[in-house]
Amino acid sequence: MIKLAIKLGTLAPVLMALSTAPSLTPALAAGGGGGGGEASSAMDPGPSYPPSSYPKRSGTKATHKVKKTNKQSSIDDPSFAQGYRAAYATIYDRNDYAAAIEQLKSLGHDDHPNVANLIGYSYRKLGDYKLSQVWYERALKADPNHVLTWQYYGLWQIEQGNREQAQYHLSRIAAICGTDCEEYRSLAAALEKPPGTGLVY
């Protein structure tokens, strides 16, 4: 009986800690021509988000620590998800990067890695590499394991002729999601192309 009481006494704090821990929900895969999925996120607007056309994101394990603010909308707000999906479609369906930047900024969550990454991607597609870099850095500051940002920033590095830096980005992706994930394969394929080859990413 005493042994059982000791076991229960030892188990109780563990169970208490587990019951009070925040639940993990699938994270968004940031946009940017490809996916960008991760492990847990405060930004989970529902089953219709991200859009069904969003690339599959398996095996990634980045985190998204997002502070809720009283900006224009809450990340949990369905209107935020709707606005994000609209910006995503503006980028990938209509290739209207300037309009997408405005849409994304109007969401009021520029520091969320998914949003910052899409803004960076849009600036890169517009040829504004300096602003693109600022936004990629912002996305990585918000989530250092944001796989899609590492991929797209790696493509940015290739386009700038920084192949060694792109190789570093590839190694970061491998450390996060392995060598079988889409982001790794895409950046590795870009690195295999001869320097000066025009990228279409």
Side-chain angles (χ1 to χ4, degrees):
M1 191 65 154
I2 294 175
K3 288 182 181 179
L4 179 61
I6 291 172
K7 287 181 181 179
L8 289 175
T10 304
L11 186 58
V14 172
L15 292 175
M16 181 62 108
L18 287 174
S19 69
T20 60
S23 66
L24 296 179
T25 57
L28 301 174
E38 288 70 53
S40 72
S41 172
M43 186 170 145
D44 187 9
S48 63
Y49 181 80
S52 60
S53 63
Y54 198 75
K56 294 180 181 170
R57 319 287 309 139
S58 61
T60 59
K61 52 185 174 184
T63 57
H64 293 267
K65 296 177 183 174
V66 179
K67 295 179 183 176
K68 291 183 183 179
T69 63
N70 290 330
K71 289 188 179 180
Q72 297 170 5
S73 65
S74 167
I75 286 180
D76 295 326
D77 184 348
S79 64
F80 172 81
Q82 182 179 6
Y84 184 90
R85 283 191 301 269
Y88 186 96
T90 300
I91 292 169
Y92 299 109
D93 295 342
R94 294 187 293 284
N95 300 322
D96 188 351
Y97 307 111
I101 290 167
E102 293 308 313
Q103 288 175 302
L104 289 162
K105 287 181 178 181
S106 74
L107 295 175
H109 294 286
D110 296 358
D111 289 329
H112 190 282
N114 295 335
V115 173
N117 183 57
L118 277 181
I119 294 172
Y121 175 79
S122 296
Y123 276 122
R124 180 168 66 89
K125 296 301 278 184
L126 290 171
D128 191 334
Y129 288 96
K130 287 186 180 187
L131 274 177
S132 179
Q133 181 179 26
V134 167
W135 287 96
Y136 285 146
E137 293 287 339
R138 183 179 277 195
L140 290 174
K141 182 178 179 186
D143 183 356
N145 291 324
H146 200 258
V147 177
L148 187 66
T149 303
W150 283 110
Q151 177 199 359
Y152 276 48
Y153 200 4
L155 294 169
W156 181 98
Q157 297 289 356
I158 292 172
E159 290 173 358
Q160 296 297 298
N162 304 328
R163 297 180 74 77
E164 286 183 28
Q165 273 301 112
Q167 189 65 47
Y168 170 75
H169 289 234
L170 187 66
S171 70
R172 289 289 300 134
I173 294 169
I176 296 166
C177 68
T179 58
D180 288 333
C181 65
E182 178 184 335
E183 296 79 11
Y184 183 91
R185 291 191 311 263
S186 172
L187 185 55
L191 276 165
E192 288 175 7
K193 293 182 179 181
T197 303
L199 298 176
V200 187
Y201 297 97

